[in-house]
Amino acid sequence: MSTPKSDQITREILSRIGQASNLEQLDAIRVETLGRNGFITELMKSVGNLPPESRRDAGQHNNALKQSVLEALDERRILLQTSELNSRLSKETIDVSLPVRTYDSGVIHPISQTIDEMVNIFSSMGFSVAEGPHIETDFNNFTALNIPPEHPARQEHDTFYLPEKDDGSRLVLRTHTSPVQIRTMLSKKPPIRIIVPGRTFRADYDSTHSPMFHQIEGLVIDQTTNMGHLKGCLIDFCRKFFKVEDLPARFRPSYFPFTEPSAEMDIGCSREGGGLTIGRTKKSGAEDWMEILGCGMVNPRVFENCNIDPEKFQGFAFGLGIERAAMLKYGIPDLRMFYDSDLRWLRHFGFSSLEIPGALGS
Ligand code: PHE
């Protein structure tokens, strides 16, 4: 109902709005007047109780009151917001002369980088990555690879053995990635084309040997895979990896119990001037050789140990030391530095995460 009384109350409300000193107070007044049980709300509802002939006038009058309250609230809100902002702006300061906060960005370890590069190159040749555990059975690490217990090759491996089990068997820390050849041949049938980057362990420690190091193994098996494929694949790989298009390569006869024939691959290098450069030298073109990996055609006995018919399938395998390849490619002098976690060394030899490893085709 619009009476002089409601006009009076509305005037009081308007004056309180005019005096509200912050947004919270203003909101309290809004709820008090326009909320569910607010004064104006009640006033609007009361129109329904009036005799029909006075409803129109009363309604219009009340609407005008409501409108005046709404406008006052809006006006005051804008005023308060502006003054709050102004007071914050006058209090807050930014000292643009302060030094910026530095942030440390990590680098990619040369071993991770080298593995990424190698995986990229072999992926482009259709290889997929396989893995196996660091703790291996004697069978997978030795026996199935045609290294029976009495075989002299066992001595060369400087194996870390785990404590003997009740049945007398001993697990080993794998001495090479070759047991993953066995695991793969036992779990899937040819054609097989895998690479296996991973950690390996041997009791050996000097500037070129570490008790833990990394290898990348390769295994290709199909019905007609031959030594020409082995040579082509590995020469292509080395040329891409070292980014030397005409990198000279040679294969020397060697011996591994699990391949027959076996070979060691050498790549051309130059030791002119005391340094070491992979590839031919511009000056004399003279070649020196650097051993890079071991390889060979899978020994039929290994196929037999893995229930693959050697009359039907043949293939090649190779194994290469990742640290050694990284040292050659990036001129890293001492193997032991790889694991010292010396930040200065890591910053020097590490890689930015923005570099795309092994950029294919380069
Ligand atoms: N496993 C061998 C080593 O550790 C390398 C190798 C792998 C050789 C596969 C031939 C074939 O020395």
Side-chain angles (χ1 to χ4, degrees):
M1 243 212 351
S2 63
T3 60
K5 185 152 180 265
S6 61
D7 288 2
Q8 168 69 24
I9 296 178
T10 306
R11 269 198 300 279
E12 280 167 28
I13 292 170
L14 292 177
S15 110
R16 279 175 59 211
I17 291 175
Q19 281 158 23
S21 56
N22 57 48
L23 289 166
E24 288 77 43
Q25 272 182 22
L26 193 66
D27 202 51
I29 300 172
R30 183 188 60 79
V31 173
E32 213 177 282
T33 50
L34 297 162
R36 201 136 57 92
N37 302 313
F39 170 70
I40 300 279
T41 316
E42 295 291 342
L43 199 62
M44 310 283 279
K45 281 193 226 157
S46 70
V47 173
N49 303 329
L50 294 176
E53 64 277 13
S54 22
R55 281 184 200 163
R56 213 182 102 183
D57 284 352
Q60 278 179 354
H61 187 74
N62 290 346
N63 265 334
L65 290 184
K66 182 179 179 180
Q67 202 51 41
S68 66
V69 171
L70 281 172
E71 276 166 19
L73 280 169
D74 248 7
E75 206 176 291
R76 190 69 189 163
R77 185 178 46 77
I78 291 168
L79 200 93
L80 287 172
Q81 279 173 340
T82 316
S83 77
E84 262 179 38
L85 181 65
N86 285 339
S87 87
R88 260 182 54 203
L89 283 174
S90 69
K91 269 187 261 152
E92 283 175 15
T93 52
I94 297 173
D95 185 349
V96 291
S97 68
L98 280 176
V100 290
R101 260 184 231 150
T102 59
Y103 67 95
D104 268 338
S105 58
V107 292
I108 293 176
H109 194 282
I111 293 186
S112 309
Q113 170 80 14
T114 305
I115 292 176
D116 284 352
E117 292 173 8
M118 291 179 169
V119 168
N120 257 343
I121 297 170
F122 282 117
S123 305
S124 76
M125 299 179 179
F127 285 77
S128 49
V129 174
E131 285 182 317
H134 298 158
I135 296 175
E136 261 300 359
T137 60
D138 185 280
F139 178 80
N140 286 342
N141 195 80
F142 292 122
T143 310
L145 287 161
N146 195 32
I147 317 176
E150 67 288 353
H151 200 287
R154 287 209 178 199
Q155 264 81 64
E156 283 161 33
H157 278 224
D158 302 310
T159 312
F160 286 113
Y161 287 95
L162 272 73
E164 211 173 89
K165 292 200 278 191
D166 289 344
D167 61 4
S169 68
R170 283 193 295 182
L171 292 171
V172 302
L173 291 186
R174 68 180 182 191
T175 57
H176 48 180
T177 40
S178 304
V180 185
Q181 285 192 35
I182 303 301
R183 287 178 174 272
T184 308
M185 287 190 261
L186 285 173
S187 65
K188 61 179 267 195
K189 292 294 149 224
I192 289 172
R193 194 182 289 194
I194 53 150
I195 45 164
V196 186
R199 289 191 177 166
T200 48
F201 307 84
R202 290 184 200 178
D204 212 348
Y205 188 57
D206 60 36
S207 69
T208 53
H209 295 91
S210 147
M212 187 281 295
F213 59 107
H214 297 75
Q215 287 189 337
I216 189 163
E217 187 88 9
L219 177 68
V220 176
I221 304 172
D222 211 331
Q223 296 192 4
T224 56
T225 307
N226 60 48
M227 198 137 185
H229 296 134
L230 174 154
K231 287 178 69 181
C233 170
L234 293 175
I235 292 173
D236 272 0
F237 165 75
C238 286
R239 291 183 170 170
K240 277 196 179 148
F241 178 73
F242 289 106
K243 300 195 160 105
V244 180
E245 258 176 57
D246 62 346
L247 182 66
R250 71 177 186 190
F251 291 80
R252 269 181 299 109
S254 182
Y255 173 76
F256 299 102
F258 35 93
T259 47
E260 183 59 35
S262 302
E264 252 150 329
M265 180 183 178
D266 294 339
I267 52 173
C269 66
S270 155
R271 293 184 171 83
E272 262 175 16
L276 184 99
T277 320
I278 300 297
R280 284 177 222 279
T281 49
K282 292 226 172 63
K283 255 196 250 159
S284 62
E287 282 167 17
D288 209 340
W289 296 102
M290 168 68 83
E291 182 198 320
I292 182 79
L293 56 81
C295 56
M297 300 305 295
V298 178
N299 192 319
R301 290 200 187 169
V302 175
F303 281 142
E304 278 162 13
N305 294 338
C306 298
N307 314 314
I308 290 179
D309 183 357
E311 296 298 327
K312 201 164 158 205
F313 292 105
Q314 49 189 35
F316 67 86
F318 56 89
L320 146 164
I322 289 174
E323 282 83 349
R324 193 174 149 71
M327 287 165 84
L328 288 174
K329 180 167 178 179
Y330 295 113
I332 300 172
D334 189 327
L335 176 86
R336 289 170 290 201
M337 295 301 285
F338 277 108
Y339 321 107
D340 278 357
S341 300
D342 182 330
L343 282 180
R344 293 161 306 175
W345 185 90
L346 286 169
R347 290 209 178 98
H348 182 78
F349 287 110
F351 292 82
S352 149
S353 55
L354 297 176
E355 284 169 49
I356 299 157
L360 293 176
S362 53

